[in-house]
Amino acid sequence: MDCIDVKVFSVLREVVGGDSVEVRIELPATKSLLLKALFKQYPTLEPYRKYVTAAVNLEYVVGDIAIVQGDELAIMMPASGG
């Protein structure tokens, strides 16, 4: 198994207890598989699943993309303003 470093922002930091976590997953994988593994490893994130946005290597990702060794995933809640 490989490890991908996941940076965690906003309220999600409190949920996982830190600003980054390692997710063990067989690589190459996809963003959706990595998120699935993350939510399995941290079930306390489940209530936020439908709201989480993701960035891979500092770029927001809307669709599914390949994740390879050395990539960095960041998860956050969408920002709102007014």
Side-chain angles (χ1 to χ4, degrees), residues 1-74:
M1 285 292 218
D2 300 294
C3 286
I4 292 289
D5 186 40
V6 178
K7 300 295 183 193
V8 183
F9 295 93
S10 66
V11 69
L12 303 175
R13 285 180 173 180
E14 296 170 23
V15 176
V16 299
D19 59 2
S20 69
V21 296
E22 283 191 348
V23 176
R24 297 184 63 74
I25 190 167
E26 189 70 34
L27 295 176
T30 61
K31 181 193 81 172
S32 62
L33 287 174
L34 182 56
L35 288 173
K36 184 177 180 178
L38 174 70
F39 287 111
K40 183 176 181 181
Q41 188 172 329
Y42 292 91
T44 53
L45 285 172
E46 189 60 41
Y48 302 94
R49 181 187 289 258
K50 63 183 175 181
Y51 305 108
V52 167
T53 58
V56 176
N57 300 327
L58 303 177
E59 292 189 31
Y60 283 103
V61 178
V62 176
D64 211 10
I65 66 166
I67 304 290
V68 296
Q69 188 65 43
D71 283 349
E72 178 184 87
L73 180 78

